[in-house]
Each structure stands twice: as structure tokens, then as C-alpha cells.
Amino acid sequence: MATCTIHRLAERALLCSVPPPASLDVQRRFWAMADAAGAWPGVVDAYPGMNSLTVLFDDGADPAQLEAALAQAWERGQGQDDGGNAGGDACGRIVEIPVRYGGDDGPDLADVAAHTGLTPEEVVRRHSAGAYTVYFLGFQPGFAYLGGLDPALATPRRTEPRLAVPAGSVGIGGEQTGVYPAAAPGGWQLIGRTELPLFLPERDPPSLLAPGDTVRFVVESVRA
């Protein structure tokens, strides 16, 4: 397992990080560490990221003690093999997301197929066959960074990002896939779209997905 580097990120924040590549074992450690850190004196919040954990603390905390506690938590390896997640659920949930692939909903499906050397139908088959793990949420509220994309589908981001990507768009960016919860600029290759709302402010919790959840994309239709 990689060594975790801990340093001050801001006056009242510490960052614990490890170098890439990302892995589920590393993310599980950070989910468990976030759970543990939430109960430490002076800790305001703990946010898992990709290969990282940010810990926010108040004036009453001792930064040196927090650094030591983080280092010990990492070395203990809590969460590495137990499948734990930041929400405390040992297995996470399985969330199915229906997707309309191709056509106006997935304008880059043909480009992904050309880049990978696969047919559009095979891109859809492989993408929908995967079981993806939510590593963390970021970029915009409810946006889940997913691990588990078939390496054969990895496609670079667009050279010219779109000024507006529709909400619900399903895309591929490098070695990852994800869903845009809200309309926003973006450079991922869009292969489909879902009507399932990923973030609703009035919902409790607002985000449909949480770290540790498993996502499965279900084919609703395909237009190559």
C-alpha cells in the first residue's frame, strides 16, 4: 500500500493524499478514516476525495495531534478490506441508472467507438455491463466519480469542451465515466443521457449517490 503524505492545506485544514493510480482499497481506507476523524476533538468535517482526505478543524484542535492521528489511522489500514464506506453501510447500495444511448442524447458515441475501435453497439454493451463504485462526489453537487470503467472504453476528453452539457448526460472522460447532475460546461465524451435526478436540494440526502455505492447503467434505448 502506498505511503500517505499529510500536510497543511490551509490554516484550518489538513490533506492526506497518496499518488495515483486510484484503487478501491485506497478509497475504502479514506472512507473509514473520514468516519473516524468525524469523532475527533476539534474536527469540523472530513471530505474523501480521489486518493485523498481533507480534514477541516477549528481553533480548539491541535494540528500536530491530528496529523499523528491521521498517520496512525492510515497505517492501521482501517477499511481496506472490509468494504466500509463513509456512510457507515458495509456494502453500500446498488443504484440502477436507465440510459438512452446515442443520438441526440449521446452525440459522442460514434467518436468513442472510433477511438476504441469498437462498434457503437459494443461500446454500449461494455459500458452497461460494468459495475461501478462511487469513489467520491465532486465537481458539482451530486457528481459521482466512478471506478470500474472497462479499460477498452477509455477515451480522452474532447479537445474543445462544450459550454453547456445537459443535465443527466452520461459521459466518458479518460479512464472514468460519470453523470452530470446539472447542466454545466464540460469536456467529457457524451454517450447517453438519463432522466433520473442525481441531485435534488429538497431530498434527504440531496445526492442520489454516496461513496461506496455501486452503480449499474441500464440500457433504455440505443441510437447508434
Side-chain angles (χ1 to χ4, degrees):
M1 182 63 68
T3 299
C4 183
T5 300
I6 304 171
H7 66 269
R8 292 288 284 270
L9 182 63
E11 184 178 355
R12 297 187 182 89
L14 292 171
L15 178 68
C16 179
S17 62
V18 299
S23 73
L24 185 55
D25 281 348
V26 167
Q27 293 302 122
R28 282 174 173 163
R29 284 202 186 201
F30 283 131
W31 299 337
M33 288 169 65
D35 275 345
W40 295 346
V43 171
V44 176
D45 213 337
Y47 300 98
M50 185 70 80
N51 279 18
S52 69
L53 175 69
T54 300
V55 176
L56 307 181
F57 54 90
D58 58 26
D59 290 335
D62 184 328
Q65 289 183 358
L66 288 180
E67 285 192 38
L70 284 170
Q72 291 171 5
W74 176 262
E75 290 302 321
R76 284 196 302 269
Q78 183 181 5
Q80 180 181 5
D81 299 313
D82 63 6
N85 71 347
D89 187 342
C91 300
R93 300 168 303 136
I94 296 177
V95 181
E96 293 188 343
I97 298 179
V99 180
R100 301 187 302 268
Y101 287 93
D104 292 338
D105 294 310
D108 299 325
L109 177 59
D111 290 339
V112 172
H115 175 81
T116 59
L118 304 171
T119 64
E121 291 78 11
E122 181 65 8
V123 170
V124 171
R125 188 193 71 78
R126 291 180 180 238
H127 186 264
S128 59
Y132 304 91
T133 301
V134 178
Y135 277 6
F136 75 106
L137 304 180
F139 169 55
Q140 60 177 218
F143 186 96
Y145 285 84
L146 305 176
L149 180 69
D150 185 333
L153 299 181
T155 306
R157 292 167 173 79
R158 291 169 52 89
T159 55
E160 295 185 7
R162 290 181 171 88
L163 295 179
V165 174
S169 293
V170 179
I172 291 176
E175 298 177 352
Q176 288 189 299
T177 187
V179 184
Y180 287 78
W188 286 29
Q189 307 281 354
L190 306 184
I191 62 172
R193 191 176 179 189
T194 182
E195 295 294 337
L196 188 65
L198 271 70
F199 185 85
L200 294 173
E202 66 275 14
R203 186 166 55 194
D204 184 21
S207 177
L208 175 66
L209 302 174
D213 286 348
T214 296
V215 171
R216 295 185 182 276
F217 294 106
V218 178
V219 180
E220 193 171 51
S221 64
V222 181
R223 295 181 60 190

